[in-house]
C-alpha cells in the first residue's frame, strides 16, 4: 500500500509559508514531505526560491514527518562534497528521517556561476560520480578523490548520522532510470508510468522505494483553478527537454505562451471533484509506487488540507 505525502514547493512559497504547510500536512494525515531545491523559480509569477537546506533545518523542528529533497542537483551549482555536508546535517537534525533525492538538474538553476551546461549523458556521468563521492563522505572517513569531474582532498564530515543516508535518483527517461536502478537507493519520477517502474525494478531496483509526485489545484471554482494553474505552472506543459535547457525564468515565460488553458484543463486536476483527485493519486498506486506526493497550487491551502483529510485520503488505498 502506498504512503501519501505532501510536496512543498520552494518555487511558489517563502520559508514561513512552507513551514506552516508542513504543519498542516502532518495534521491532515499526510505521511511524508517532499521539498523542491531551486535557485530560481520557473517564472516570476511563482516568485520565490528559499535556500532549501535552511528550510529543512526549520522543518526538522516543526514536524515529525520524513523529509526528502525532490530533487537536489549535486553536480554544478554545488559541489557534491558541500551537498554531502548539508545532507548529513539534515539527517542528524531529523533523526534519520531524511532522504536525499538527486537528479541531473536544469540549466535554470545550475548555470548561474557561468559553468558550461553539459549534454544529458555527461550530466548523468557527473551525477554518478557525485553519488560516489557523497557516499564515501557519509562514512565520516577522510576522502581523497580525483575523478573525471570532481576533486576532493582531505575532506571529512565530522557530523554524520548513525545510519547511511538513502540517495534516491530522479529519472524521466530510460537512461536516468537505468542509472537509478544501478546505483540508487530509490527511484523518483513525476509520471505514473508503470513501464518506468518495471524498468527500475527489473534493472536492479528490486523492492527499493519508488516515489512519485503530482500537482493539483483544489478550489470550489474549477475555471478559476484552471486559470491559476495556467498563470503559475504552465511551464509543466512544455514538451521535450525545454525544462532542462532554458536558462532563465524569462525564457520559460516566453515559452509558456505556447501553453493554453485547454492544455492545463486536460492535464491537471482542477476544482473540488473528489473522484478526480482520488483518481489522480490512484494512478501512481496502480503503477506500483510506494510513496505518492501531492502539491496544492492554488491559494486555498486550508481548504485543500481539509478536503484531503476528510474526503480524499480516506478513499485512497
Amino acid at each position: 500500500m502506498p504512503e501519501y505525502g505532501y510536496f512543498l514547493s520552494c518555487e511558489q512559497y517563502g520559508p514561513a509559508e512552507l513551514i506552516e504547510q508542513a504543519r498542516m500536512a502532518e495534521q491532515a494525515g499526510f505521511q511524508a514531505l517532499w521539498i523542491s531545491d531551486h535557485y530560481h523559480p520557473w517564472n516570476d509569477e511563482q516568485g520565490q526560491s528559499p535556500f532549501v537546506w535552511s528550510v529543512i533545518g526549520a522543518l526538522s523542528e516543526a514536524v515529525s514527518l520524513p523529509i526528502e529533497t525532490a530533487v537536489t542537483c549535486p553536480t554544478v551549482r554545488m559541489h557534491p562534497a558541500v551537498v554531502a555536508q548539508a545532507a548529513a546535517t539534515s539527517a542528524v537534525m531529523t533523526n534519520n528521517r531524511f532522504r536525499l533525492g538527486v537528479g541531473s538538474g536544469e540549466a535554470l538553476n545550475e548555470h548561474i556561476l557561468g559553468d558550461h551546461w553539459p549534454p544529458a549523458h555527461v550530466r548523468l556521468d557527473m551525477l554518478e560520480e557525485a553519488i560516489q563521492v557523497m557516499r564515501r563522505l557519509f562514512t565520516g572517513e577522510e576522502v581523497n578523490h580525483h575523478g573525471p569531474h570532481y576533486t576532493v582532498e582531505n575532506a571529512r564530515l565530522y557530523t554524520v548520522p548513525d545510519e547511511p543516508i538513502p540517495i534516491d535518483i530522479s529519472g524521466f527517461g530510460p537512461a536516468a532510470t537505468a542509472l537509478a536502478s544501478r546505483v540508487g537507493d530509490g527511484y523518483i519520477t513525476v509520471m505514473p508510468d508503470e513501464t518506468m517502474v518495471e524498468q527500475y525494478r527489473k534493472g536492479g531496483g528490486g523492492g527499493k522505494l519508488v516515489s512519485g509526485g503530482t500537482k493539483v489545484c483544489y478550489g470550489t471554482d474549477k475555471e478559476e483553478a484552471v486559470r491559476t494553474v495556467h498563470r503559475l505552472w504552465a511551464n509543466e506543459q512544455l514538451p521535450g527537454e525545454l525544462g532542462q535547457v532554458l536558462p532563465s525564468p524569462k525564457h520559460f515565460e516566453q515559452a509558456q505562451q505556447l501553453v493554453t488553458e485547454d492544455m492545463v484543463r486536460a492535464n491537471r486536476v482542477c476544482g473540488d471533484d473528489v473522484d478526480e483527485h482520488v483518481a489522480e493519486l490512484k494512478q501512481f498506486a496502480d503503477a506500483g509506487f510506494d510513496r505518492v506526493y501531492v502539491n496544492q497550487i492554488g491559494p486555498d491551502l486550508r481548504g485543500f488540507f481539509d478536503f484531503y483529510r476528510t474526503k480524499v485520503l480516506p478513499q485512497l488505498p
Side-chain angles (χ1 to χ4, degrees):
M1 297 282 186
E3 295 180 335
Y4 294 93
Y6 186 71
F7 190 175
L8 297 165
S9 172
C10 284
E11 302 96 314
Q12 191 178 341
Y13 297 101
E17 294 172 298
L18 293 168
I19 301 307
E20 181 59 23
Q21 286 179 36
R23 290 193 180 104
M24 289 191 288
E26 186 167 35
Q27 292 166 2
F30 286 97
Q31 297 166 286
L33 296 172
W34 260 4
I35 185 166
S36 57
D37 180 358
H38 270 238
Y39 194 88
H40 292 139
W42 297 98
N43 54 59
D44 284 356
E45 280 289 332
Q46 293 172 359
Q48 292 287 340
S49 197
F51 189 54
V52 70
W53 302 105
S54 300
V55 180
I56 290 171
L59 288 171
S60 71
E61 294 296 313
V63 297
S64 61
L65 297 177
I67 302 166
E68 179 165 19
T69 53
V71 292
T72 293
C73 179
T75 58
V76 180
R77 169 171 50 105
M78 290 182 68
H79 192 284
V82 178
V83 175
Q85 185 182 26
T89 300
S90 297
V92 170
M93 293 185 71
T94 59
N95 194 25
N96 297 313
R97 290 182 285 112
F98 177 76
R99 298 179 75 95
L100 177 61
V102 299
S104 59
E106 306 93 12
L108 174 72
N109 302 301
E110 304 305 322
H111 86 294
I112 58 169
L113 303 179
D115 298 282
H116 169 66
W117 184 239
H121 72 279
V122 175
R123 300 201 305 269
L124 289 176
D125 287 343
M126 295 171 71
L127 181 60
E128 182 169 4
E129 185 178 344
I131 291 169
Q132 294 171 354
V133 169
M134 292 188 294
R135 282 197 171 126
R136 289 180 63 191
L137 285 165
F138 289 156
T139 65
E141 299 176 358
E142 183 177 298
V143 173
N144 290 279
H145 174 88
H146 297 274
H149 301 293
Y150 302 106
T151 297
V152 179
E153 292 186 352
N154 307 118
R156 178 186 171 189
L157 296 182
Y158 281 80
T159 301
V160 293
D162 297 332
E163 301 175 6
I165 300 170
I167 301 178
D168 300 339
I169 300 176
S170 172
F172 302 106
T177 303
L179 177 63
S181 300
R182 187 159 45 81
V183 304
D185 297 308
Y187 176 52
I188 291 172
T189 187
V190 294
M191 300 175 290
D193 190 331
E194 185 176 1
T195 302
M196 288 297 182
V197 174
E198 289 180 356
Q199 180 193 340
Y200 171 74
R201 295 206 185 281
K202 292 179 179 178
K208 295 177 182 177
L209 186 71
V210 174
S211 302
T214 188
K215 294 181 182 292
V216 302
C217 189
Y218 164 80
T220 55
D221 184 331
K222 180 170 183 175
E223 290 309 306
E224 179 62 26
V226 169
R227 290 190 291 271
T228 297
V229 176
H230 185 258
R231 176 172 59 86
L232 290 169
W233 287 92
N235 59 282
E236 290 202 319
Q237 307 306 322
L238 295 175
E241 294 185 62
L242 289 177
Q244 284 70 54
V245 300
L246 293 180
S248 78
K250 292 298 182 186
H251 290 96
F252 278 94
E253 289 166 8
Q254 294 165 11
Q256 286 169 198
Q257 297 177 44
L258 302 173
V259 178
T260 66
E261 289 185 6
D262 284 340
M263 293 167 67
V264 169
R265 195 176 289 106
N267 290 284
R268 275 286 164 254
V269 172
C270 297
D272 59 355
D273 186 308
V274 177
D275 292 340
E276 289 184 9
H277 284 265
V278 170
E280 174 69 11
L281 299 189
K282 194 171 181 297
Q283 290 182 88
F284 289 88
D286 292 344
F289 284 74
D290 302 303
R291 281 186 182 167
V292 186
Y293 296 82
V294 60
N295 170 257
Q296 160 69 348
I297 292 174
D300 187 1
L301 273 302
R302 291 197 178 278
F304 166 85
F305 285 115
D306 285 343
F307 178 68
Y308 266 68
R309 176 178 57 84
T310 60
K311 297 182 178 180
V312 178
L313 292 179
Q315 294 192 47
L316 292 168

